[in-house]
Amino acid sequence: MGDEENVKRFASAYNLIHQERAYRFANLNDPERAGFAEVIIPSRSDMVGQTIRQFAVRKRYAVEPVMMFSKGEEIRGDFSDRPILAGDTMIVHGLWENTSGLRTNADFVVLTPFTVEGTQNPSKSWGAGLCFLGAIGLAMTGASISLAFFTGAIAMVLIRVLTIQEAYQAIEWKVVFLLAGLIPLGVAMQKTGTAAFLAEKVMALVQGGHPALILLAVAVLSTLFSLSMSNVGAIVVLAPLVMSMAQIGGLDPRPLALMAAVCAANSFILPTHQVNALLMSSGGYRNADYYRAGGGMTLLFLVVVVPVFYLFYL
């Protein structure tokens, strides 16, 4: 595979004869049949300590490792003979049916979701749809969203829409561990009073200032807190402080509390929000990508929200 001119140059350099024939690698250019997948090497993998060449990844699985990351850094150059470390990440390209061989092997953790053509079973569509509607119905009756959809997932396993192994493989474990680390951080900030201390210090700086400055301080604080704790936790900390500040400054506390709630959703700059985290693995994004794209979005959010609340709500 490659550029036609490069192929001709290669053939000329090695005295090969170019034969016109049907393109044998068409499937590799079909996104329904092939693509890139992110693969992590777990500590239990037999590949740890070996190289890609020694483990014969290309020969065994017919996929091509095209990029390698170790300890958060990209490994440049030829990495075929570099010893693999636990936690190393490979980006491989190949047919989905070949990549599925990695997914069923304990030596690899495949993070990219994909479906192998021919594995879908239309007869299970009704069962999956009913479970999904049932989960939505539970959520609408007052049950928590997490409990409602977890119930729907269990129902799919029980009526054999999917196996427990397929359900396990569908979980974005990177997101689970990211949020699992984020939740205790947010709880610690609340329990130790760190969040309240920071909020009080910032509010003291803007106390007595122009109302627009107070609005901006509330928006920035709410945005920053949403990056390290849940949206609800951010509002729990900020709401009483914001209302007290409003009363001291002679302002209506309701718009300030509403602004804190709105700006708690301004979490674009880091993949700490669940939605952003879910996109991280499947999109192959890094924190730097969120800085670049989310930084502008965060500023735009603040530039729009603060004037709107100042002009129409305060």
Side-chain angles (χ1 to χ4, degrees):
M1 292 184 64
D3 183 76
E4 186 176 355
E5 291 300 321
N6 291 336
V7 172
K8 290 179 179 178
R9 190 156 46 87
F10 172 76
S12 175
Y14 291 95
N15 297 317
L16 304 177
I17 299 173
H18 182 266
Q19 290 185 335
E20 295 292 341
R21 60 186 304 172
Y23 186 45
R24 299 178 61 184
F25 301 105
N27 287 339
L28 290 173
N29 285 330
D30 182 357
E32 299 295 328
R33 301 291 302 276
F36 295 92
E38 182 180 5
V39 180
I40 290 180
I41 311 301
S43 58
R44 65 181 182 275
S45 173
D46 292 336
M47 194 176 178
V48 174
Q50 298 192 57
T51 66
I52 290 175
R53 196 186 308 277
Q54 289 171 340
F55 201 72
V57 172
R58 299 177 179 89
K59 185 182 294 184
R60 286 189 186 187
Y61 302 102
V63 296
E64 178 65 28
V66 294
M67 296 181 72
M68 170 75 74
F69 297 89
S70 182
K71 298 180 180 179
E73 298 292 333
E74 181 184 352
I75 307 301
R76 298 184 178 276
D78 185 4
F79 46 77
S80 295
D81 295 309
R82 177 189 174 278
I84 299 297
L85 304 178
D88 282 0
T89 301
M90 294 189 301
I91 307 298
V92 301
H93 181 267
L95 297 173
W96 295 130
E97 59 190 75
N98 296 336
T99 309
S100 64
L102 301 177
R103 193 162 59 177
T104 57
N105 193 310
D107 291 324
F108 307 95
V109 177
V110 179
L111 298 178
T112 305
F114 61 88
T115 302
V116 180
E117 189 172 313
T119 59
Q120 298 179 347
N121 189 346
S123 64
K124 296 181 179 180
S125 301
W126 285 103
L130 289 173
C131 291
F132 182 67
L133 291 175
I136 293 177
L138 277 175
M140 293 179 66
T141 59
S144 67
I145 294 177
S146 56
L147 181 60
F149 281 93
F150 183 67
T151 303
I154 292 176
M156 288 194 185
V157 174
L158 292 177
I159 65 175
R160 301 182 183 278
V161 171
L162 73 168
T163 65
I164 190 67
Q165 289 80 10
E166 290 171 334
Y168 184 83
Q169 291 168 358
I171 297 173
E172 286 277 3
W173 291 108
K174 183 185 289 187
V175 175
V176 171
F177 284 109
L178 172 65
L179 297 179
L182 184 64
I183 291 171
L185 175 63
V187 172
M189 287 188 66
Q190 288 180 254
K191 296 287 186 182
T192 60
T194 303
F197 174 79
L198 293 174
E200 287 173 358
K201 292 299 181 183
V202 172
M203 290 301 183
L205 292 175
V206 298
Q207 184 176 349
H210 192 276
L213 184 61
I214 297 175
L215 286 173
L216 180 62
V218 172
V220 171
L221 267 178
S222 184
T223 298
L224 291 177
F225 281 8
S226 70
L227 298 178
S228 58
M229 63 177 68
S230 69
N231 298 0
V232 175
I235 299 306
V236 167
V237 172
L238 284 174
L241 294 172
V242 164
M243 297 181 78
S244 297
M245 277 296 302
Q247 291 174 351
I248 293 173
L251 302 173
D252 186 351
R254 292 174 295 179
L256 270 67
L258 179 60
M259 166 170 265
V262 170
C263 290
N266 187 17
S267 12
F268 303 110
I269 205 167
L270 282 174
T272 51
H273 191 275
Q274 299 93 318
V275 176
N276 294 345
L278 283 170
L279 293 171
M280 190 175 188
S281 295
S282 56
Y285 300 122
R286 299 174 299 169
N287 286 342
D289 298 320
Y290 285 90
Y291 298 151
R292 286 194 295 269
M297 285 292 295
T298 299
L299 292 176
L300 180 62
F301 193 106
L302 295 174
V303 167
V304 171
V305 168
V306 173
V308 166
F309 270 81
Y310 178 73
L311 294 172
F312 298 103
Y313 290 92
L314 199 61

